[in-house]
């Protein structure tokens, strides 16, 4: 085996690719019920990075689709691991003391607070986020939405999110 072959074996050449898990709607949202600021909006959910992805990359853009036309702030929290204690829909969001859940959070909360209005719906977009992450050996990202206003979601108008990543392969 030549020196060049040895070096190729030691150095893994990586490429990046833009990828999105598609539209994400938090499960467990109860419609017609008021949320207080700081309440969990639905329950924690997950998505897996595509096969072949290295488990690292950068969050590039995030979109929030307010299909209920409320225009109230919603935050999204991404994490490397599940919450130590799951939070029920419409319950106050907080990390369990000494759980180290905060250490699993990927970057800061994504704050959707500025909206574009489209007649019967609104949209909030975060551009150029550039939040790098490394899941180690994992390929799963855990997500929790949090209401920051007095939301009251109507039936048939559940919110959704789209995240766009630049992933290492």
């Amino acid at each position: 085996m030549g020196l060049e072959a040895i070096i190729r074996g030691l150095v893994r050449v990586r490429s990046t690719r833009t990828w999105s898990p598609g539209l994400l709607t938090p499960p467990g949202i109860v419609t017609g019920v008021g949320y207080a600021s700081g309440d969990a909006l639905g329950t924690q959910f997950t998505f897996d990075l595509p096969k072949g992805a290295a488990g690292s990359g950068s969050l590039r853009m995030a979109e929030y689709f307010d299909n209920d036309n409320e225009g109230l702030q919603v935050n999204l929290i991404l994490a490397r691991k599940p919450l130590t204690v799951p939070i029920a829909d419409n319950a106050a969001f907080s990390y369990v003391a000494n759980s180290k859940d905060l250490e699993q959070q990927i970057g800061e909360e994504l704050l959707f607070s500025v909206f574009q209005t489209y007649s019967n719906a609104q949209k909030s977009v975060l551009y150029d986020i550039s939040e790098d992450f490394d899941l180690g050996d994992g390929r799963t990202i855990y997500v929790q939405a949090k209401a920051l206003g007095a939301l009251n979601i109507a039936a048939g108008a559940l919110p959704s999110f789209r995240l766009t990543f630049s992933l290492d392969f």
Side-chain angles (χ1 to χ4, degrees), residues 97-154:
N98 302 315
S99 68
K100 303 204 180 216
D101 284 340
L102 181 60
E103 294 172 9
Q104 298 305 320
Q105 186 173 313
I106 297 171
E108 298 288 327
E109 292 184 20
L110 301 175
L111 313 175
F112 296 99
S113 59
V114 176
F115 292 86
Q116 299 166 334
T117 301
Y118 298 92
S119 297
N120 296 312
Q122 297 189 39
K123 179 179 179 179
S124 181
V125 182
L126 305 175
Y127 296 100
D128 300 321
I129 298 170
S130 297
E131 183 61 56
D132 294 336
F133 66 92
D134 189 339
L135 303 176
D137 293 333
R139 289 184 46 243
T140 302
I141 292 181
Y142 298 81
V143 185
Q144 177 67 60
K146 181 169 78 169
L148 263 285
L151 294 162
N152 190 328
I153 308 294

